[in-house]
């Protein structure tokens, strides 16, 4: 019986999509979270797409299947914690997909830059999630972490959707 897990591959800059396409052709399950944002160029507003976590691609495979992944020229390395490969729980992949479904303009932030009180989401589509309240200039955002990645997703939630709590389901 094979034990499939989500691993985090770190690609060369700007080569995330090529990496994903190469692995998909080999039948490997991959996920590249993409955020949506608007920008004005030459007086026109246009929608752009970019990876939520630059250079990071989630790969679902067995430890044996990692050998195929290692052959991709776009791969720089795997994200590790100590001497072990980082393995992201499937529930975090679901969390990322859920957040991006409801909040396409989500951004990411390194967990080292997150400092604030703990909150729990009590209303809305993300009910049950936890995070940290972060003030960035005039913006008051919620940072919810992705286990083993070292990054959080920044969300702009209405204040009626969350409450401050001292209970945390995650460690930074």
């Amino acid at each position: 019986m094979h034990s499939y897990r989500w691993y985090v591959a770190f690609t060369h800059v700007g080569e995330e999509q090529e990496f994903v396409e190469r692995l998909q052709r080999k039948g490997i399950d991959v996920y590249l979270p993409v955020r949506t944002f608007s920008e004005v160029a030459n007086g026109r507003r246009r929608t752009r797409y970019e990876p939520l976590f630059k250079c990071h691609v989630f790969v679902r495979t067995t430890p044996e299947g990692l050998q195929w992944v290692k052959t991709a020229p776009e791969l720089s390395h795997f994200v590790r914690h100590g001497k072990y490969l980082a393995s992201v729980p499937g529930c975090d992949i679901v969390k990322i997909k859920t957040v991006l479904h409801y909040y396409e303009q989500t951004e990411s932030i390194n967990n080292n830059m997150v400092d604030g009180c703990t909150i729990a989401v009590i209303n809305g589509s993300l009910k049950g999630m936890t995070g940290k309240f972060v003030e960035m200039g005039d913006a008051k955002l919620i940072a919810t972490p992705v286990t083993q990645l070292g990054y959080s997703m920044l969300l702009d939630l209405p204040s009626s959707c969350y409450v401050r709590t001292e209970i945390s389901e995650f460690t930074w």
Side-chain angles (χ1 to χ4, degrees), residues 75-86:
L75 177 71
S76 172
H77 60 277
F78 288 101
V79 175
R80 295 180 172 272
H81 285 284
K83 62 182 181 176
Y84 300 102
L85 293 180

Side-chain angles (χ1 to χ4, degrees), residues 3-172:
S3 176
Y4 282 84
R5 293 180 180 220
W6 285 100
Y7 297 96
V8 184
F10 194 88
T11 67
H12 297 290
V13 176
E15 295 184 357
E16 300 94 344
Q17 191 60 45
E18 293 87 354
F19 180 72
V20 166
E21 290 169 4
R22 180 181 306 278
L23 294 184
Q24 285 176 331
R25 284 192 302 270
K26 290 184 178 185
I28 297 173
D29 193 7
V30 292
Y31 176 53
L32 175 62
V34 177
R35 76 180 206 94
T36 304
F37 65 100
S38 296
E39 70 177 8
V40 177
N42 299 326
R44 295 181 143 182
R45 178 172 297 281
R46 64 182 201 167
T47 301
R48 300 256 338 251
Y49 305 92
E50 70 179 14
L52 177 60
F53 307 105
K54 294 204 188 307
C55 299
H56 291 81
V57 176
F58 299 92
V59 179
R60 185 176 176 269
T61 189
T62 62
E64 298 80 23
L66 290 173
Q67 297 307 316
W68 284 101
V69 178
K70 289 179 183 178
T71 64
E74 301 86 3
L75 177 71
S76 172
H77 60 277
F78 288 101
V79 175
R80 295 180 172 272
H81 285 284
K83 62 182 181 176
Y84 300 102
L85 293 180
S87 176
V88 176
C91 61
D92 273 4
I93 301 299
V94 171
K95 179 165 91 170
I96 295 167
K97 290 179 179 183
T98 302
V99 166
L100 287 173
H101 178 77
Y102 291 104
Y103 299 91
E104 291 179 325
Q105 295 186 1
T106 297
E107 295 182 39
S108 62
I109 185 172
N110 189 299
N111 284 346
N112 294 335
M113 300 176 65
V114 175
D115 186 29
C117 66
T118 303
I119 63 94
V121 180
I122 58 169
N123 293 316
S125 53
L126 304 181
K127 183 177 180 179
M129 287 189 189
T130 58
K132 295 260 186 176
F133 185 73
V134 179
E135 291 190 45
M136 300 189 76
D138 293 339
K140 296 177 181 176
L141 305 170
I142 304 302
T144 185
V146 178
T147 308
Q148 301 294 325
L149 188 59
Y151 283 88
S152 290
M153 296 176 285
L154 282 175
L155 309 169
D156 188 6
L157 296 178
S159 59
S160 62
C161 288
Y162 58 87
V163 295
R164 182 179 174 169
T165 179
E166 295 303 319
I167 299 171
S168 177
E169 294 180 12
F170 53 88
T171 56
W172 293 91

